[in-house]
Structures are given as structure tokens and as C-alpha cells.
């Protein structure tokens, strides 16, 4: 990401604190929170007139995926200016968000992994007469950010990535890395591999990629919790990105919007004619092949983590907004529906590509919009 764009996002995120509230009435309970916004004034002005508030009022509390935090901040900025509703989104991680939702503490959760059967069962206790459903809303690449002095372009493949994060490759001048980067000046420097310390949908999707693309080198079952031995950890995407930025020899996984000055992104050798770098376009190329596998109103997706299509980046994720299909509390349902309606709208989705996320494909987002209108 260019420095100018990153500085703009940082400045906007600081401005976001103004829209945070202390307590919130929620669809399924209450808690306290801090949230924010991160969109430009011009974006807010351009979108405010198209936002339908529909009696939305008060405050909403939400939590979950830190992967989508920058997107949520941008959306909240626009929505709050148009409707006067405060939405406090913590971004504590997918695991924390799902737990808070199934415990009735928040109006909606963000998760980079679809609800598991046991989580759907738990949600029925707080969704009176209904259950929690997955609404895909944000797409994007999981970048492998690295900090290796003197190396401006780095290519890795699935086996090498797996061995790095499983402590099987421990130095940057390892023969396997040299083979993929014959012209790079790889230093004799220890690899510092960072993973998430909290339960994370980003971890889930990252390890799903390794399981699909190189099963012989990644023997773990996967999931939101990190399972491999060794390495170092940090909480949330921002925490991993910060550690990579300040640690020479570091590598870590996080969303492209967290790639900052001092951190570069790995290109992946997928078996296509040339390595693929993480970008909105390359992620969209992969997500476009996703299939809806949810039943009923649930719209969970199946992604192709082992794609070899030209220009398709395989390490992608889709973040879901998780909400009750029925049984939302009457005092917060209008605000919940209005916000979800906005972020699923054409204007809401357009914002994503400007901040290094990928919009949800048209065919899928159309189903999301229909489902939102039926929430009760």
C-alpha cells in the first residue's frame, strides 16, 4: 500500500473515535465498547444521500473480525453521519465476536469463518424463534507481510510457506527460498514468523489454504486457534502487522489493508504462469468462483484455496456479518437492518476496493440484500 493511502487511513481511524459510544442497546443484549470510522469526507458526502435510515436510532454494539475493521470504520463514518446512529465495533477477532453474539451481548458479529453447527445451536437461545445466519459482506486477500532488509520482491509457494510457519524453514537464505528467488539477495537472517494469539477467522482461512494447497506439509486440522508449534504471536491483525513492521526478519499474515510502510507483501507461486501478488483484483478473481453452501437464509461460501487460475490469489477470505434471521430485538432491529442494507448496497460495496478490500460478487451480494430485507 502506498504511504499516502496508509496515512490517510490512520488519520481517518483517529477521527473515528468521535462516533464511539459507551453503552449500546443491541439486538441481542448489551455491553460496552469502543468503535470508529475510517472513510474520507468525500466518500461520506457521496454516499449519505443514498443511505436509507428507516427509523434507525440509538446505538448498536458489535464485535468480531479485525480483518474487516478498516471497512467497518469507513461504513460507520458514512452511516453515522447520515442517520445519527452510533455503531461501536470492537474488532476483537472472529472468535470473540461469535462468542459475544451467541451470548446475546451484541447486535451483530463479524467473522471470517462461517458459524459452526454448535454455534448455530447456541445462537437459537438469543434469536427468539430463529437462528444466527452468515451474510458475506467483505472480501479480500490475506497478505503475507514480511520485513527482510534488502529484499523488495519475495516469492513463496505453499510448501515453503507451510514449512516457515511450522518452524521447518528457519533462515531467510534457506535453499528452498533461494530457489524461488534466484536473483534476490537473501540475508543470513533468522525468520521470525508471527501468528495470531487470539481465535481468528484469518488464521482459519490461512490454514485452510495450507491444508488445501500443501496437505503433505501442513498436518494440522485447522480452525480459528493457531495449532503449529513455535513462532511468535500477537493479538488481532493490527498486532501481527505491527510486530512484523518492527521486527527484522519477520513474516506474518494479515489483510492487505494492514500492509504498511516498512512491510512488503509476498507474491505466491500458485503454479500459474507467474506469481500472483495480493490485490483487490487478484482476490476478486478467486472469490468470484466461490459457491454458496449455506442452507435456508444462511449464505456461507466455499472458496477455492487451491486455485491455479491466472491472476487469482489463493489466500483469500470473506468476512460475514452474523445476525439473527428472526428474533432480533425490536428496539435495535431498524438500525441493524439499515446499516446492513447500506453496507450491502452498491455504494457500500464500492468503498471496499478503495481501501484494499474486494467487493462481494454481484450474484452473491444480491442474495444478501434480499435476506437483509427479511430480517425480523
Amino acid at each position: 500500500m502506498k504511504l499516502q493511502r496508509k496515512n490517510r487511513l490512520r488519520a481517518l481511524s483517529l477521527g473515528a473515535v468521535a462516533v464511539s459510544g459507551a453503552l449500546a442497546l443491541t439486538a441481542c443484549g448489551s455491553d460496552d465498547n469502543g468503535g470508529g470510522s475510517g472513510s474520507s469526507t468525500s466518500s461520506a458526502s457521496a454516499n449519505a444521500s443514498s443511505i436509507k435510515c428507516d427509523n434507525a436510532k440509538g446505538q448498536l454494539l458489535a464485535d468480531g473480525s479485525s480483518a474487516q475493521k478498516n471497512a467497518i470504520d469507513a461504513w460507520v463514518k458514512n452511516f453515522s453521519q447520515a442517520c445519527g446512529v452510533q455503531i461501536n465495533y470492537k474488532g476483537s477477532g472472529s472468535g470473540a465476536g461469535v462468542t459475544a453474539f451467541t451470548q446475546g451481548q451484541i447486535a451483530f458479529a463479524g467473522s471470517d469463518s462461517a458459524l459452526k453447527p454448535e454455534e448455530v445451536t447456541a445462537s437459537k437461545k438469543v434469536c427468539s424463534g430463529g437462528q444466527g445466519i452468515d451474510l458475506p459482506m467483505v472480501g479480500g486477500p490475506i497478505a503475507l507481510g514480511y520485513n527482510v532488509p534488502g529484499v523488495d520482491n519475495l516469492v513463496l509457494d505453499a510448501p515453503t510457506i507451510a514449512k516457515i510457519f511450522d518452524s521447518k524453514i528457519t533462515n531467510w537464505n534457506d535453499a528452498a527460498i533461494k530457489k524461488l528467488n534466484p536473483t534476490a539477495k537473501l540475508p543470513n537472517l533468522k525468520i521470525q514468523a508471527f501468528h495470531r494469539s487470539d481465535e481468528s477467522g484469518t488464521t482459519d482461512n490461512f490454514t485452510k489454504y495450507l491444508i488445501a494447497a500443501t496437505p503433505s506439509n501442513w498436518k494440522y486440522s485447522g480452525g480459528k486457534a493457531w495449532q503449529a508449534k513455535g513462532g511468535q504471536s500477537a493479538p488481532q491483525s493490527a498486532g501481527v502487522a505491527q510486530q512484523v513492521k518492527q521486527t527484522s526478519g519477520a513474516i506474518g499474515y494479515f489483510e492487505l489493508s494492514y500492509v504498511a510502510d516498512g512491510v512488503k507483501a509476498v507474491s505466491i507461486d500458485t503454479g500459474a504462469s507467474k506469481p500472483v501478488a495480493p490485490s483487490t483484483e487478484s482476490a476478486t478473481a478467486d472469490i468470484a468462483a466461490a459457491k454458496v453452501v449455506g442452507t435456508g437464509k444462511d449464505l456461507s461460501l466455499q472458496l477455492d484455496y487451491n486455485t491455479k487460475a491466472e491472476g487469482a490469489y489463493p489466500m483469500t477470505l470473506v468476512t460475514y456479518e452474523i445476525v439473527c434471521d428472526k428474533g432480533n430485538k425490536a428496539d435495535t432491529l431498524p438500525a441493524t437492518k439499515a446499516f446492513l442494507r447500506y453496507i450491502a448496497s452498491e455504494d457500500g460495496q464500492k468503498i471496499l476496493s478503495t481501501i484494499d478490500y474486494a467487493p462481494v460478487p454481484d450474484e452473491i451480494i444480491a442474495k444478501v440484500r434480499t435476506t437483509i430485507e427479511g430480517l425480523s
Side-chain angles (χ1 to χ4, degrees), residues 7 36 49 66 69 90 100 114 139 176 245 249 259 261 272 308 355 359 371:
N7 286 341
S49 62
S66 63
K69 184 66 166 62
K90 280 184 179 179
K245 181 178 180 180
V259 174
D261 233 21
K308 293 176 174 57
I355 49 177
T371 302

Side-chain angles (χ1 to χ4, degrees), residues 185-272:
K185 296 181 179 179
L186 296 166
N188 181 14
L189 179 65
K190 183 180 178 181
I191 295 173
Q192 308 283 351
F194 284 89
H195 57 265
R196 288 282 289 271
S197 60
D198 52 326
E199 288 203 355
S200 161
T202 309
T203 294
D204 190 17
N205 284 275
F206 174 54
T207 55
K208 281 179 178 175
Y209 160 71
L210 295 176
I211 291 167
T214 183
S216 62
N217 291 297
W218 196 259
K219 300 293 188 179
Y220 305 98
S221 61
K224 292 189 183 78
W226 184 256
Q227 297 172 322
K229 307 299 181 183
Q232 302 181 62
S233 64
Q236 304 172 19
S237 292
V240 175
Q242 181 60 32
Q243 288 298 320
V244 172
K245 181 178 180 180
Q246 66 188 26
T247 306
S248 181
I251 186 171
Y253 58 90
F254 36 80
E255 294 64 44
L256 185 60
S257 63
Y258 288 95
V259 174
D261 233 21
V263 176
K264 298 178 176 64
V266 170
S267 293
I268 297 180
D269 182 347
T270 65

Side-chain angles (χ1 to χ4, degrees), residues 318-371:
V318 169
T319 300
Y320 302 96
E321 310 314 327
I322 295 171
V323 66
C324 296
D325 59 353
K326 298 178 182 177
N328 294 280
K329 286 192 173 180
D331 52 2
T332 52
L333 178 60
T336 301
K337 286 184 70 170
F339 181 65
L340 294 177
R341 180 186 295 121
Y342 162 58
I343 68 179
S345 71
E346 184 177 350
D347 284 340
Q349 289 288 299
K350 277 182 179 178
I351 291 174
L352 294 176
S353 59
T354 69
I355 49 177
D356 292 313
Y357 293 99
V360 176
D362 291 343
E363 182 179 348
I364 297 171
I365 203 67
K367 295 177 181 179
V368 172
R369 292 166 185 156
T370 299
T371 302

Side-chain angles (χ1 to χ4, degrees), residues 63-72 75 89 93-94 108-114 133-142 201-202 205 237 255 287 299-301 303 305 316-322 340 343 349 352 357-360 364-365 368:
D63 195 5
S65 165
S66 63
Q68 69 167 357
K69 184 66 166 62
N70 291 335
I72 289 286
W75 283 329
Y89 184 83
S94 297
F108 66 90
S111 177
D112 309 320
S113 298
I133 56 173
D134 302 287
L135 301 177
M137 205 71 75
V138 182
I142 300 173
T202 309
N205 284 275
S237 292
E255 294 64 44
I287 295 170
L299 296 174
S300 55
L301 304 176
L303 300 172
Y305 297 100
T316 57
L317 60 76
V318 169
T319 300
Y320 302 96
E321 310 314 327
I322 295 171
L340 294 177
I343 68 179
Q349 289 288 299
L352 294 176
Y357 293 99
V360 176
I364 297 171
I365 203 67
V368 172

Side-chain angles (χ1 to χ4, degrees), residues 95-180:
V98 171
T99 297
F101 179 76
T102 57
Q103 291 179 348
Q105 297 173 355
I106 54 178
F108 66 90
S111 177
D112 309 320
S113 298
L115 290 170
K116 297 177 180 178
E118 61 268 26
E119 293 167 341
V120 173
T121 298
S123 73
K124 293 179 180 179
K125 298 177 181 178
V126 295
C127 299
S128 180
Q131 66 179 52
I133 56 173
D134 302 287
L135 301 177
M137 205 71 75
V138 182
I142 300 173
L144 281 176
Y146 70 96
N147 178 359
V148 181
V151 181
D152 293 329
N153 297 290
L154 183 68
V155 174
L156 297 175
D157 59 11
T160 307
I161 295 167
K163 291 173 185 176
I164 287 172
F165 281 89
D166 199 21
S167 303
K168 302 289 178 59
I169 291 178
T170 58
N171 219 64
W172 280 110
N173 64 353
D174 186 274
I177 303 177
K178 283 184 175 181
K179 185 176 180 180
L180 291 163

